[in-house]
Amino acid sequence: MRNIILTIFLTGLYFYSVGQDERTKQIDIAVGLINNNDRLTLNEFDANKVYEQTFDGSGAINVYSDKNGISKIEQEIGLSFGRLTTIIYLTNGKPIQIIAREENFKFNEDNTTLDYSKLHQVFEATIYVFNWDTDDSKVISKGKRVMSEGTCSTFEYKPLIDLVKKIMKN
C-alpha cells in the first residue's frame, strides 16, 4: 500500500483525504528517494556569474536532474555575516519541500569583529508543499532570522526555480 501511495504521490496526484502528518511523511519519503537517487546528474553554477554580482563569500547553485527534469536545487550564498542556504525538492517540475537556512558568524569577545572560523545556524524553515498552485503548505521553523528577510511563503522561491529552469535550458 505504501508503494502505491508513494507512486501516486510522485506522479503528481496529491492525497487530500489524509491528514497533514501523513502528507508530510509522504513528502519526506519522496525527498529521501531524491537524495538517494545516484542517477541524478549534478550541474554546478557559480552564483556570482548567474546573478552577475559578487557575493562576499561567493556562492553556488547546484542542480540535480535527470531525463524527467529537475529534482533538487541547492543554493548557497556566502555573505559577510554568514551563509544563506536554500534547498528545493521538486517532483514533476513542482516543489514538494523547501528548506531555508541562515547561518551567521558570531562576534568575537570584543563585540567589534566577527569570528569567521565557525558558522552558527540561527534559523531553519522546512516548508512542506502539498499543492504548489494553491499555496497549500505547512511550515516548520526553528530559530529566528537575524540578518536575512523572508516570509516562508512558497512563492518567495519561485524566482529561484524560474532562474534555474532558464540556466538549465542554456
Side-chain angles (χ1 to χ4, degrees):
M1 179 65 173
R2 182 181 221 185
N3 289 341
I4 293 170
I5 291 172
L6 182 59
T7 301
I8 292 171
F9 177 77
L10 289 174
T11 59
L13 300 174
Y14 300 91
F15 283 86
Y16 292 102
S17 62
V18 295
Q20 268 193 0
D21 288 340
E22 185 61 32
R23 293 192 293 171
T24 59
K25 288 178 189 174
Q26 291 171 353
I27 290 171
D28 286 337
I29 291 168
V31 164
L33 290 172
I34 291 169
N35 282 333
N36 292 315
N37 186 347
D38 59 0
R39 291 176 286 157
L40 294 176
T41 301
L42 170 61
N43 292 282
E44 299 175 284
F45 301 94
D46 182 337
N48 294 320
K49 292 179 182 174
V50 170
Y51 289 110
E52 297 179 353
Q53 72 179 61
T54 303
F55 296 103
D56 298 342
S58 194
I61 301 172
N62 295 327
V63 182
Y64 299 83
S65 62
D66 61 14
K67 65 180 173 28
N68 297 317
I70 299 168
S71 295
K72 182 179 177 182
I73 300 167
E74 288 181 326
Q75 175 180 261
E76 287 192 355
I77 303 294
L79 301 168
S80 58
F81 64 82
R83 178 173 54 207
L84 300 176
T85 303
T86 304
I87 305 168
I88 303 172
Y89 294 92
L90 302 98
T91 300
N92 296 324
K94 296 193 178 184
I96 58 170
Q97 186 179 82
I98 302 167
I99 299 169
R101 185 177 304 129
E102 178 183 329
E103 298 167 287
N104 298 147
F105 298 112
K106 287 188 177 179
F107 279 98
N108 285 314
E109 290 178 14
D110 63 8
N111 270 345
T112 60
T113 58
L114 292 172
D115 176 3
Y116 293 107
S117 66
K118 186 176 179 187
L119 285 166
H120 302 274
Q121 184 173 312
V122 296
F123 174 79
E124 181 173 289
T126 302
I127 305 166
Y128 289 90
V129 183
F130 306 126
N131 186 314
W132 176 254
D133 296 323
T134 63
D135 196 22
D136 182 13
S137 62
K138 176 182 180 180
V139 179
I140 299 171
S141 61
K142 297 180 278 188
K144 286 188 170 188
R145 293 180 190 268
V146 176
M147 302 282 196
S148 66
E149 295 179 10
T151 62
C152 293
S153 165
T154 54
F155 295 117
E156 183 176 314
Y157 302 94
K158 186 176 182 335
L160 174 58
I161 296 165
D162 291 344
L163 175 67
V164 166
K165 288 178 179 178
K166 181 181 174 184
I167 62 176
M168 288 295 288
K169 282 184 181 178
N170 297 337

